[in-house]
Amino acid sequence: MVKAKYQPVLDLGEKLNIKNGKVEEGDGKLKVWGTAATQYEKNLLWDKIKEIGGENPSDIMADIKVEDESVYARHTVKSGESLGKIAKHYYGDASKYQKIFEANTDKLKNPDLIYPDQELVIPNL
């Protein structure tokens, strides 16, 4: 029953390719383990858990580890994106685009020139 309630979380975990994923149901609780590639992906899972179960859900226990803690996320640039738009997506603040630029000076020479298919590091703040 609880597993069905949290199925969107499990589906998201599959979409994000969570490693070593494990799910158990018992005593009216769902227990979930796994390793997300980045902190951003871990946050996506927790946001989905809270969306379904509320701020402090008592019917799920999740132990999500992060494989690469050196970055917040990795992002492949899509057509029409800017560093400001990417910063808004990850940080909720377009003005933090400079942090992304600084973390990618090995690939970027100008914050206004990014190209589709470039992989950018989204740094931890």
Side-chain angles (χ1 to χ4, degrees):
M1 198 71 178
V2 183
K3 187 175 180 183
K5 175 181 175 182
Y6 286 101
Q7 190 60 48
V9 174
L10 305 178
D11 293 344
L12 178 59
E14 214 169 283
K15 181 180 169 196
L16 296 174
N17 293 318
I18 297 300
K19 294 180 180 165
N20 305 316
K22 188 174 160 188
V23 178
E24 290 179 5
E25 190 173 8
D27 300 326
K29 286 189 182 210
L30 188 66
K31 296 177 183 168
V32 182
W33 295 266
T35 303
T38 64
Q39 183 65 45
Y40 175 72
E41 291 180 358
K42 177 180 177 175
N43 290 356
L44 287 177
L45 284 168
W46 275 108
D47 289 347
K48 183 60 77 177
I49 288 169
K50 290 176 185 176
E51 178 185 311
I52 295 167
E55 195 61 37
N56 292 301
S58 60
D59 56 354
I60 187 168
M61 188 286 304
D63 183 8
I64 313 293
K65 297 189 178 356
V66 175
E67 186 174 46
D68 184 356
E69 295 180 339
S70 69
V71 300
Y72 183 63
R74 296 186 185 281
H75 179 83
T76 302
V77 177
K78 294 173 203 64
S79 181
E81 287 186 320
S82 65
L83 289 184
K85 185 175 181 181
I86 295 167
K88 176 87 173 145
H89 173 78
Y90 288 100
Y91 303 134
D93 182 353
S95 70
K96 290 197 166 49
Y97 78 91
Q98 194 67 31
K99 298 287 184 192
I100 297 172
F101 176 68
E102 289 166 6
N104 291 280
T105 53
D106 58 324
K107 298 176 204 108
L108 304 176
K109 302 301 169 220
N110 180 329
D112 296 323
L113 296 176
I114 63 172
Y115 302 97
D117 299 323
Q118 281 181 308
E119 186 173 292
L120 302 178
V121 167
I122 310 301
N124 291 308
L125 292 181

